[in-house]
Amino acid sequence: MKKQFSGALLTLLGDRSNSDSTIVSELQRHIRELISSGVIGDDERLPSTRSLARDLGISRDTVEAAYQQLDTEGYLVRKTGSGTFVAKQDRIVSSTPRIVQSPNTREAHQTIISLASRGEDILRAGGIVDQTDVHPFVAAMPDIETFPIEVWRQLTSRVIREHGHKLLMYGDAQGYEPLRIEIWKYLATRRGVRCDPDQVLVLTSSQQALSLIGTTLVDPGDIMAIENPGYHGAKLALLAAGSFLKPVSVDVEGIIVSDINDSRAPVRAVYVTPSHQYPTGVTLSIERRMELLDWAHQTGSLIIEDDYDSEFRYDSQPLASIQGLDDGEQVVYMGTFNKVLFPSLRLAYMVLPKRLVKSFITARTLLDGQAPLLTQAVLHSFILEGHFTAHIRRMRQLYHARRDLFMTAIRQHLNAYIDAETPPGGLSVACYLRDGFEEDRSVAIAKSVGIELPTLRRLYLGEPARNGWLLGFAALPPQVAESAMVKLSKAMADFYK
Amino acid sequence: MKKQFSGALLTLLGDRSNSDSTIVSELQRHIRELISSGVIGDDERLPSTRSLARDLGISRDTVEAAYQQLDTEGYLVRKTGSGTFVAKQDRIVSSTPRIVQSPNTREAHQTIISLASRGEDILRAGGIVDQTDVHPFVAAMPDIETFPIEVWRQLTSRVIREHGHKLLMYGDAQGYEPLRIEIWKYLATRRGVRCDPDQVLVLTSSQQALSLIGTTLVDPGDIMAIENPGYHGAKLALLAAGSFLKPVSVDVEGIIVSDINDSRAPVRAVYVTPSHQYPTGVTLSIERRMELLDWAHQTGSLIIEDDYDSEFRYDSQPLASIQGLDDGEQVVYMGTFNKVLFPSLRLAYMVLPKRLVKSFITARTLLDGQAPLLTQAVLHSFILEGHFTAHIRRMRQLYHARRDLFMTAIRQHLNAYIDAETPPGGLSVACYLRDGFEEDRSVAIAKSVGIELPTLRRLYLGEPARNGWLLGFAALPPQVAESAMVKLSKAMADFYK
């Protein structure tokens, strides 16, 4: 542990020659990140201040100050005589429910503003860090350079001219009706979703959909099942709602449905990414889909179907949505335009069981009211005039080609270190480290040559079953990805020679 | 009660000649609204199915079906032999904390998806209904016809041309930095807010600010103090976060600070609208501001300063913000562009104490990620090039003139029924019914001539201290408002003659 820890920090701190106070806060930040991302786990013992100071070539006081602060923040626990340990992060399903503090147990006169326990949990879990620039391997990122921005500009101008001041007033909290109708048509024809436009809710992001589910359907202490490994944004949103997470393993057919039930209490809902599981890329088989629906009907539980990126399937027709396999009353379906068009758009949607529509709209009015009307109206025109379908078709071809070249390059340059299967769809590929190679180490090696490797570890709850990376192939031209691979391959070879 | 209830429903159902099933759902909806809005209160007894059916001229089966459904939904409680009663709505601070269900107490095999208790509470409390069209007396509504939409169109076009594809990528979750800097400058110079741009968080709405406060700073069972009467959006957001509300009365100097403390437990935060209290319009006096800050420092509690509409002050300079009166570490400050520019814009902001910035940004990434980059960039240009300041100046003049004409018209047409003082700022005026006139009755009378009167009652927690209306004067030309007043005045006279 000690060596590994110092190694990771050394790489992170890099060749800085900063003032001591900067180093303290840098050090804190890195240790926090190592804890939040699960690189160092609950109860793990940290190196002594003396040895870490020596390893990093910084003063012992600096390390002491950083540990002290992290102790105050609750990340670390210092035990006199036995050392410094990572505090329990409390992120995995446990047999005792979280305790909700009653007002009386909170100290009556704290003199500075403190976070609520919920706020502390959220801060500790760490939020979602969206990449603000595109660099090689960023996972689940579309190509934005090919977006027809000039079409968007002209449509915006025209929509403002045509609608005038009507666009400025509050719109329907459920979403601009003409847009809902286009979403409905698209989902019915392309994804086999069974609904009517009144079941569609326009949101700003999948994250908002998850947040709404948390607000509306999750009581503190409820058990929510999630794919393991799985999408971290879903985990964080459901944890923030106060639920316990029940991790359920994924095999070649997708989530193992028979493992969903929990012996302690009913599982309220399960979050799945059936089109291509995030991050493994597997498609949930039709047998599993039926099994999942049966489970949901028998237990009265909900299926949360996140159909992200289902537009991008390269080798065969995608399976229709789970939502459309029966009456859809057991499924909350969600999708987003932010990956298909561009990330800063901020428009997404849900399809809700009829009986949940009213409550979701109501809760949404409390979250942020509604989505911007102008953007919704522009998107509506973009879809109506065929630009949406054309863009998807173009992107599918582009990403298909990029995927193939990316896989060839992986086999050529990284085959010694990783094992990766060609994903049937999506924007990323799961790469598993071969025996003898470690995730943390590989991340540090990549970092030393300026490459950020998105890890699989952060997508697991508990001990990762497999180590590796989730590499994005869609956002950048293949030659950019390939030259990063060459660099990474060389750095790995240098280290392991 | 019986007469009044049938009366309200009769007006609401109007002269419809619909099928029975439509009437059932209409009737349900109206009763739900009467309960949610507080028009009929906890434990109140409803008329028997027989008598209500007779009063409304509909079949008894229809009433029975509606009552039955509302019973199932938890709005009503039916007691054999003694009648039908409004179920406790549980919206006011109570001495026993809400019980958080543990998984074991929930029924193991419900066969349809049910809402979480939180979701039920939100559905019952009713959400926020934003007006999607402008009609006389809509409260707190700006004039949108005067917004320079052509300027906005040109700026949008130019911003897209200048920034190009860079605009399409994820932006900073805290908000587009150049926009944060402009907001900071504006608040520092116009509102005396003391902060730096890194304390500014760009959001989509005040409602999102309240929702973030709920997520980050409120644990279930925490006591939050609010002005009474006060802004219902704040109440609903804080209730949705699981807090108990402590209503605190308002007098001519604003919230009565000495009444904030609760004997049972510390008050976590107080929500105030100091520039002009919503809905009474009073300005929080400087003495009260100092008292409030003292209270916050002594108790370690937080002040939530909602500085909505502070741009619109007509007779004197506005007081500076509470946030700027000391180091600002005890205050969360919020404001919105949606009222100053146009409602469908969806951009607002908070200024946070330094130590809360990180946690709020983290929580925000879970709520909806970030605000749309293009809209933020357009707003930035709009401010930078002086359009923002010019628009505020123009609107202040327009609203000033409209307020004066509106007050003259009130005195001319409605003086027999209401007592109203000229508000020093804002977009609405609080009108108090004179003795002998009832709020529900006046609403029903207005409705019978097609006028919607926003009531004061819905802004109270518990029994309203005063009855009346909150009339918006800003959104429409004075002649439109005046002719509505003439109509209302005539209807009132007809009824009370």
Side-chain angles (χ1 to χ4, degrees):
Chain A
M1 168 60 200
K2 189 177 126 341
K3 268 237 151 64
Q4 174 191 338
F5 184 74
S6 308
L9 287 175
L10 195 54
T11 327
L12 294 169
L13 289 172
D15 53 359
R16 296 168 185 281
S17 47
N18 289 319
S19 71
D20 278 359
S21 71
T22 316
I23 295 178
V24 171
S25 69
E26 277 283 272
L27 188 60
Q28 279 170 36
R29 194 166 64 79
H30 289 309
I31 296 176
R32 253 189 237 111
E33 281 172 6
L34 291 171
I35 295 173
S36 303
S37 62
V39 171
I40 47 178
D42 289 0
D43 296 325
E44 259 188 83
R45 183 175 171 164
L46 268 60
S48 68
T49 52
R50 185 190 304 268
S51 74
L52 185 60
R54 196 188 50 226
D55 288 352
L56 299 179
I58 57 182
S59 89
R60 197 175 160 187
D61 288 347
T62 303
V63 178
E64 172 60 35
Y67 277 14
Q68 198 51 54
Q69 177 59 27
L70 290 163
D71 178 26
T72 312
E73 290 175 12
Y75 282 90
L76 299 179
V77 176
R78 314 194 71 183
K79 297 176 187 167
T80 318
S82 60
T84 302
F85 299 84
V86 175
K88 278 213 189 306
Q89 297 304 304
D90 219 345
R91 287 182 296 182
I92 306 181
V93 73
S94 88
S95 52
T96 49
R98 284 166 192 239
I99 307 300
V100 177
Q101 282 194 317
S102 88
N104 303 326
T105 62
R106 177 173 283 156
E107 210 181 321
H109 289 287
Q110 50 208 14
T111 52
I112 46 168
I113 306 302
S114 60
L115 295 176
S117 338
R118 183 156 51 192
E120 292 281 3
D121 288 347
I122 291 171
L123 182 60
R124 193 164 300 174
I128 295 159
V129 182
D130 286 315
Q131 298 289 340
T132 54
D133 62 336
V134 184
H135 45 80
F137 309 139
V138 173
M141 181 67 70
D143 182 290
I144 53 165
E145 293 298 327
T146 45
F147 183 78
I149 194 169
E150 178 58 19
V151 170
W152 194 265
R153 191 189 64 75
Q154 287 171 13
L155 280 179
T156 305
S157 217
R158 210 180 71 205
V159 164
I160 294 179
R161 277 222 174 91
E162 283 175 4
H163 293 258
H165 288 92
K166 268 187 311 199
L167 275 181
L168 305 182
M169 198 48 196
Y170 286 112
D172 183 347
Q174 185 171 2
Y176 182 54
E177 195 180 7
L179 176 61
R180 278 195 278 121
I181 292 172
E182 290 308 314
I183 292 172
W184 164 69
K185 281 189 209 160
Y186 171 75
L187 294 178
T189 55
R190 304 299 177 104
R191 305 296 306 124
V193 168
R194 290 167 64 171
C195 70
D196 59 53
D198 281 344
Q199 290 169 262
V200 176
L201 175 55
V202 179
L203 298 170
T204 61
S205 52
S206 300
Q207 203 54 46
Q208 188 175 48
L210 291 162
S211 171
L212 260 179
I213 289 170
T215 303
T216 313
L217 297 177
V218 180
D219 275 320
D222 277 352
I223 296 182
M224 305 289 281
I226 48 155
E227 298 164 332
N228 195 35
Y231 175 54
H232 53 297
K235 282 180 236 173
L236 293 172
L238 298 176
L239 282 174
S243 71
F244 291 121
L245 298 185
K246 156 98 181 190
V248 182
S249 297
V250 171
D251 65 16
V252 291
E253 287 190 68
I255 191 167
I256 301 171
V257 178
S258 54
D259 287 357
I260 295 176
N261 281 336
D262 194 88
S263 58
R264 285 161 304 214
V267 170
R268 180 122 181 91
V270 59
Y271 170 83
V272 288
T273 50
S275 281
H276 41 269
Q277 200 271 334
Y278 191 92
T280 63
V282 301
T283 305
L284 190 63
S285 70
I286 187 72
E287 292 74 20
R288 288 276 172 85
R289 286 169 194 240
M290 299 313 294
E291 201 185 337
L292 192 62
L293 276 169
D294 280 349
W295 169 81
H297 282 288
Q298 274 163 29
T299 57
S301 306
L302 183 77
I303 298 166
I304 303 166
E305 179 176 21
D306 186 349
D307 207 18
Y308 84 103
D309 285 359
S310 61
E311 295 80 4
F312 303 127
R313 182 106 197 158
Y314 312 120
D315 304 312
S316 58
Q317 283 297 308
L319 286 177
S321 67
I322 299 176
Q323 197 275 358
L325 288 178
D326 65 3
D327 63 3
E329 286 296 301
Q330 222 67 25
V331 179
V332 167
Y333 176 95
M334 65 172 84
T336 179
F337 292 107
N338 301 327
K339 295 285 184 196
V340 185
L341 300 179
F342 55 92
S344 77
L345 172 61
R346 317 315 294 153
L347 285 175
Y349 48 85
M350 298 180 92
V351 175
L352 292 159
K354 286 203 175 75
R355 61 188 307 278
L356 294 181
V357 172
K358 174 86 186 289
S359 53
F360 269 67
I361 296 172
T362 304
R364 198 271 164 89
T365 69
L366 299 186
L367 273 191
D368 72 340
Q370 53 191 257
L373 197 49
L374 172 59
T375 321
Q376 291 186 78
V378 174
L379 177 57
H380 168 251
S381 295
F382 191 84
I383 299 175
L384 199 67
E385 299 181 13
H387 302 295
F388 181 64
T389 314
H391 184 65
I392 290 179
R393 201 180 313 117
R394 205 162 47 236
M395 290 297 101
R396 199 185 286 130
Q397 284 166 5
L398 180 77
Y399 296 156
H400 189 163
R402 284 187 179 176
R403 181 202 63 175
D404 291 346
L405 291 167
F406 196 88
M407 293 311 297
T408 306
I410 281 186
R411 288 184 190 116
Q412 190 178 341
H413 304 292
L414 296 170
N415 197 46
Y417 313 109
I418 55 169
D419 177 25
E421 273 186 44
T422 306
L427 310 174
S428 322
V429 51
C431 303
Y432 303 103
L433 280 160
R434 296 188 188 280
D435 287 347
F437 301 100
E438 258 190 330
E439 202 179 271
D440 305 333
R441 176 58 67 200
S442 70
V443 167
I445 293 168
K447 189 130 194 165
S448 72
V449 291
I451 292 172
E452 209 173 297
L453 283 180
T455 65
L456 288 177
R457 173 168 234 155
R458 78 205 151 91
L459 304 175
Y460 278 95
L461 273 184
E463 200 49 41
R466 301 183 75 174
N467 262 237
W469 319 321
L470 181 66
L471 303 187
F473 58 75
L476 289 169
Q479 56 274 26
V480 179
E482 185 164 7
S483 66
M485 281 188 211
V486 170
K487 210 160 140 191
L488 175 59
S489 163
K490 190 174 170 314
M492 292 283 279
D494 283 351
F495 187 89
Y496 286 107
K497 76 185 166 207
Chain B
M1 168 62 200
K2 189 179 127 339
K3 267 238 152 62
Q4 173 190 337
F5 184 77
S6 308
L9 288 175
L10 195 54
T11 326
L12 294 169
L13 289 173
D15 52 359
R16 298 167 183 280
S17 48
N18 289 318
S19 70
D20 277 0
S21 71
T22 316
I23 296 178
V24 171
S25 69
E26 278 282 274
L27 189 58
Q28 280 169 36
R29 194 165 64 80
H30 288 308
I31 297 176
R32 253 188 236 112
E33 281 170 6
L34 291 171
I35 295 174
S36 303
S37 62
V39 171
I40 47 177
D42 289 0
D43 296 325
E44 257 187 84
R45 183 176 172 162
L46 268 61
S48 68
T49 52
R50 184 189 305 270
S51 75
L52 186 60
R54 197 190 47 229
D55 287 353
L56 300 179
I58 57 182
S59 88
R60 196 174 161 188
D61 287 347
T62 304
V63 178
E64 173 60 34
Y67 276 19
Q68 197 52 53
Q69 177 59 27
L70 291 163
D71 181 23
T72 312
E73 290 174 12
Y75 283 91
L76 299 179
V77 176
R78 313 196 71 182
K79 298 177 187 166
T80 319
S82 62
T84 302
F85 299 82
V86 177
K88 278 212 186 308
Q89 297 302 306
D90 217 346
R91 285 181 298 181
I92 305 181
V93 74
S94 88
S95 52
T96 48
R98 284 166 193 238
I99 306 300
V100 177
Q101 282 193 317
S102 86
N104 304 325
T105 63
R106 178 172 282 155
E107 210 183 320
H109 291 286
Q110 50 208 15
T111 52
I112 46 168
I113 307 301
S114 61
L115 295 176
S117 341
R118 182 157 52 191
E120 291 281 3
D121 289 347
I122 291 171
L123 181 60
R124 192 163 302 172
I128 295 159
V129 182
D130 287 315
Q131 299 288 340
T132 54
D133 62 336
V134 184
H135 46 81
F137 308 140
V138 174
M141 182 65 71
D143 182 291
I144 53 166
E145 293 298 327
T146 46
F147 183 77
I149 194 168
E150 178 57 19
V151 170
W152 194 265
R153 192 188 64 77
Q154 286 170 15
L155 281 178
T156 305
S157 215
R158 210 180 69 205
V159 164
I160 294 179
R161 278 222 174 91
E162 283 174 6
H163 293 258
H165 287 92
K166 268 188 311 202
L167 275 180
L168 305 183
M169 200 45 197
Y170 286 112
D172 182 347
Q174 186 172 2
Y176 182 55
E177 196 181 7
L179 176 61
R180 278 195 276 122
I181 291 171
E182 289 308 314
I183 292 171
W184 164 69
K185 282 189 208 161
Y186 170 75
L187 294 177
T189 54
R190 305 298 177 103
R191 303 297 305 125
V193 168
R194 290 168 64 172
C195 69
D196 60 52
D198 281 344
Q199 289 169 263
V200 177
L201 175 55
V202 179
L203 298 169
T204 61
S205 52
S206 299
Q207 203 54 45
Q208 188 175 48
L210 291 162
S211 171
L212 260 180
I213 289 170
T215 303
T216 313
L217 297 177
V218 181
D219 276 320
D222 277 353
I223 296 183
M224 305 289 282
I226 48 156
E227 297 165 332
N228 195 34
Y231 175 54
H232 53 296
K235 282 180 236 172
L236 293 172
L238 298 176
L239 282 175
S243 72
F244 290 122
L245 298 184
K246 155 97 182 189
V248 182
S249 298
V250 171
D251 65 15
V252 291
E253 288 190 66
I255 191 168
I256 301 171
V257 177
S258 53
D259 287 357
I260 294 177
N261 280 335
D262 194 89
S263 57
R264 286 161 301 214
V267 170
R268 181 121 181 91
V270 60
Y271 169 84
V272 289
T273 51
S275 281
H276 41 268
Q277 202 272 333
Y278 191 90
T280 64
V282 302
T283 305
L284 191 64
S285 71
I286 186 72
E287 292 75 19
R288 288 277 172 85
R289 286 168 194 242
M290 300 312 294
E291 201 185 338
L292 192 62
L293 275 170
D294 281 349
W295 168 82
H297 282 289
Q298 275 163 29
T299 57
S301 305
L302 184 76
I303 299 167
I304 303 166
E305 179 175 21
D306 186 348
D307 207 18
Y308 85 103
D309 285 359
S310 60
E311 296 80 5
F312 304 126
R313 182 107 197 156
Y314 312 119
D315 304 312
S316 58
Q317 284 296 308
L319 286 177
S321 67
I322 298 177
Q323 197 275 356
L325 288 178
D326 64 5
D327 62 5
E329 287 295 302
Q330 223 68 25
V331 179
V332 167
Y333 176 94
M334 65 172 84
T336 179
F337 292 107
N338 301 327
K339 295 285 185 197
V340 185
L341 300 179
F342 54 91
S344 77
L345 172 61
R346 316 318 293 153
L347 286 174
Y349 49 84
M350 301 180 90
V351 175
L352 292 158
K354 286 202 175 76
R355 61 186 307 278
L356 295 182
V357 172
K358 172 87 186 287
S359 53
F360 270 68
I361 297 173
T362 304
R364 198 272 164 89
T365 69
L366 299 186
L367 273 191
D368 72 339
Q370 53 190 257
L373 197 50
L374 171 59
T375 321
Q376 292 186 78
V378 174
L379 177 57
H380 167 250
S381 296
F382 191 84
I383 299 175
L384 198 68
E385 299 181 12
H387 302 295
F388 182 63
T389 315
H391 184 64
I392 290 178
R393 200 180 313 116
R394 203 162 47 237
M395 290 297 101
R396 199 185 287 130
Q397 284 166 6
L398 179 78
Y399 296 157
H400 188 164
R402 284 187 180 176
R403 182 203 60 175
D404 291 347
L405 291 166
F406 196 88
M407 294 311 297
T408 307
I410 281 186
R411 288 187 190 113
Q412 190 178 340
H413 304 292
L414 296 170
N415 198 45
Y417 313 108
I418 55 169
D419 178 23
E421 275 187 42
T422 305
L427 310 175
S428 321
V429 51
C431 303
Y432 303 102
L433 280 160
R434 296 189 188 281
D435 286 348
F437 300 101
E438 258 189 330
E439 202 178 272
D440 305 334
R441 175 59 67 201
S442 69
V443 168
I445 293 167
K447 189 130 194 166
S448 72
V449 292
I451 292 172
E452 208 174 299
L453 283 180
T455 65
L456 288 177
R457 174 168 233 157
R458 80 206 150 91
L459 304 175
Y460 279 95
L461 273 184
E463 199 50 40
R466 301 183 75 174
N467 263 237
W469 320 320
L470 180 66
L471 303 187
F473 57 77
L476 288 168
Q479 58 275 26
V480 178
E482 185 164 5
S483 67
M485 281 188 211
V486 170
K487 210 159 141 192
L488 175 59
S489 164
K490 190 174 169 311
M492 294 283 279
D494 284 351
F495 187 89
Y496 286 107
K497 77 183 164 208

